[in-house]
Amino acid sequence: DTRPPSWWQQFDDARLQDLLKTGRENSQSVQTAALRILQAQAQLGISTSAELPIVQLLFSDTYTKPDLAQQLQGKKGGSTTQQLNLQASWEPDLWGAIRRGVQSDEATWVSTVAAYQAAMVALEANIATLYFNICTLNVRLQVANDNLLQQEENKRIAHSRFRAGASSEQDLRQAQVLYEQTRAHIPTLRAALLQSQHALSVLLGKLPDYYQKTYRAAAPMPTIPVTIPTGIPRDLLQRRPDVLQAEYAAIAQSARIGQAKAALLPSFSLGGSFGFQSSNGGQNNLDDLLKWRNPITNMTAGLLFPIFNHGQLVNYVRVQDAVFQQAVLNYQTKVLSAQQEVEDALSAITGYREAVNSLRDARTAARRSTILALERYKAGAS
């Protein structure tokens, strides 16, 4: 497993863990990635079995109808011939074509496992992001409603002062503008909240209204960990399954080059069969099928050497080599992109921490300013 264990538990949020569990169990993208693993495992089994001889047990029962001459001679019934054969064939892996095929399928299997982990990480990250957005929108709605109440009171004060002649109409209209702007912003926040809830529900493999019906009460903001165990960037790169997937895709393609080169060399095969045959024609009896006097044997050996299609096979090697070069470049691109994303994320964490500290200081100053303004207002100084 290339993922850090239980990263979501750092937020100490039971609802988030429940959503992640539901997503892992129902997500179509994760299930598709899991099926690809099963497909790769089956293909690996096929490649591995190619190293062993092929052994088959065959039984045949053939009925032969009398021809016209035999019918004219008065023969009415036909004859039945039965055969029981044990056949075997084997192609020695002289040049490693089968071994390279196994190596390719093993690397492909590991690549599908990494793809599954990448799909799981992406799913969990998307679920967490949407959940944090929902929590944030709930808080923003609460702040907007609180602001609306405060601005409604400001509008009432401005209206009273205007009627008493203590202020101009401009002050009243400015208070009304702030009030209406805040009230107009609330429906937009509610629509964004519903859209995030719908997106999260579909991501969980549920109907769009699943989150709204299941979690009616608004969840508080999750606890943000004080420190994030990121480690050094190199360790983060090693934990990324998309990088591992690209790496093993290149390894699998490298093995396919070996397969293509092996096709340029002669191949040798051995085969044979041993069995029994009986017939009810003439003085024979079908019950004599397993008698040693009725054996049938066959031995074969073959040598295949490419001559006229040699140029075709050479070009096929070139094709596989070109595909391998593309896979290597894709792996290098993945590593560079991943390194950039890691560095960007670490820089963003540092910047966000500084911004949060500044915003906290601003919030403290704003609260103090509000207290002073209310004291001056109650004292009649403003």
Side-chain angles (χ1 to χ4, degrees):
D1 192 346
T2 58
R3 294 175 293 136
S6 305
W7 61 268
W8 60 87
Q9 294 183 2
Q10 301 175 50
F11 296 98
D12 192 24
D13 192 299
R15 181 177 295 189
L16 174 59
Q17 296 186 39
D18 185 58
L19 291 171
L20 291 169
K21 180 176 180 294
T22 303
R24 288 191 296 268
E25 293 174 351
N26 298 280
S27 172
Q28 288 84 358
S29 60
V30 172
Q31 292 175 5
T32 301
L35 290 175
R36 291 196 182 101
I37 294 178
L38 297 179
Q39 177 184 349
Q41 285 178 332
Q43 183 60 47
L44 178 59
I46 295 174
S47 300
T48 304
S49 61
E51 298 176 325
L52 303 175
I54 299 176
V55 181
Q56 303 179 89
L57 181 63
L58 304 176
F59 174 78
S60 65
D61 189 308
T62 306
Y63 174 76
T64 304
K65 184 179 179 181
D67 57 21
L68 180 59
Q70 292 174 334
Q71 293 178 10
L72 292 176
Q73 294 175 0
K75 186 175 182 178
K76 296 181 179 180
S79 62
T80 300
T81 302
Q82 293 182 343
Q83 286 188 358
L84 180 64
N85 283 334
L86 181 66
Q87 298 181 351
S89 62
W90 179 50
E91 181 178 343
D93 190 22
L94 299 177
W95 318 116
I98 297 177
R99 292 191 298 273
R100 296 291 281 174
V102 172
Q103 292 173 4
S104 175
D105 290 335
E106 283 180 345
T108 300
W109 173 71
V110 176
S111 178
T112 58
V113 173
Y116 171 81
Q117 294 175 346
M120 183 70 73
V121 169
L123 173 69
E124 292 176 348
N126 290 334
I127 289 175
T129 300
L130 285 171
Y131 176 67
F132 295 152
N133 286 342
I134 290 172
C135 294
T136 302
L137 287 168
N138 281 324
V139 174
R140 292 180 64 187
L141 268 173
Q142 181 61 45
V143 172
N145 287 323
D146 293 343
N147 287 343
L148 188 65
L149 293 176
Q150 182 63 49
Q151 290 169 8
E152 185 178 16
E153 175 65 13
N154 293 342
K155 186 180 69 169
R156 185 193 65 80
I157 295 174
H159 187 265
S160 299
R161 288 173 57 82
F162 172 71
R163 291 181 60 185
S167 64
S168 65
E169 183 180 359
Q170 182 179 5
D171 294 337
L172 173 61
R173 299 308 176 191
Q174 287 178 346
Q176 289 177 337
V177 167
L178 291 175
Y179 173 79
E180 296 298 338
Q181 286 179 341
T182 301
R183 191 169 72 166
H185 188 52
I186 291 177
T188 303
L189 291 175
R190 287 176 180 166
L193 175 61
L194 289 175
Q195 291 171 1
S196 296
Q197 291 175 345
H198 296 163
L200 179 55
S201 300
V202 173
L203 195 61
L204 297 176
K206 303 290 186 178
L207 294 176
D209 59 351
Y210 169 79
Y211 184 91
Q212 191 176 6
K213 290 182 177 179
T214 306
Y215 306 100
R216 297 183 179 275
M221 285 296 296
T223 303
I224 306 301
V226 178
T227 59
I228 300 177
T230 56
I232 61 178
R234 182 188 64 186
D235 295 334
L236 292 177
L237 289 177
Q238 292 176 346
R239 292 206 304 256
R240 287 187 58 131
D242 55 340
V243 174
L244 184 66
Q245 179 185 357
E247 176 185 355
Y248 276 90
I251 294 174
Q253 184 56 38
S254 175
R256 295 188 187 103
I257 298 177
Q259 281 185 293
K261 288 183 177 180
L264 294 169
L265 302 172
S267 61
F268 181 71
S269 62
L270 296 172
S273 64
F274 175 81
F276 300 94
Q277 176 178 303
S278 66
S279 174
N280 61 358
Q283 301 298 322
N284 299 318
N285 194 327
L286 290 176
D287 294 337
D288 297 334
L289 177 62
L290 298 180
K291 297 295 180 62
W292 278 106
R293 68 173 181 266
N294 297 323
I296 52 173
T297 58
N298 178 40
M299 295 293 293
T300 61
L303 178 64
L304 176 64
F305 190 84
I307 298 177
F308 296 104
N309 65 334
H310 184 269
Q312 178 186 12
L313 296 176
V314 169
N315 285 319
Y316 184 70
V317 172
R318 293 170 180 169
V319 168
Q320 296 302 321
D321 183 69
V323 176
F324 168 70
Q325 297 298 330
Q326 296 174 45
V328 171
L329 291 174
N330 178 64
Y331 169 70
Q332 293 174 346
T333 302
K334 282 285 186 182
V335 171
L336 291 176
S337 299
Q339 188 172 5
Q340 177 187 353
E341 292 173 2
V342 169
E343 295 292 347
D344 290 347
L346 294 176
S347 300
I349 290 174
T350 302
Y352 288 148
R353 282 174 175 166
E354 296 177 356
V356 166
N357 292 332
S358 298
L359 289 172
R360 285 173 177 165
D361 293 340
R363 180 183 62 182
T364 302
R367 285 177 173 173
R368 180 58 181 167
S369 175
T370 301
I371 293 173
L372 294 175
L374 287 175
E375 290 177 351
R376 287 174 59 82
Y377 171 72
K378 292 176 181 179
S382 62

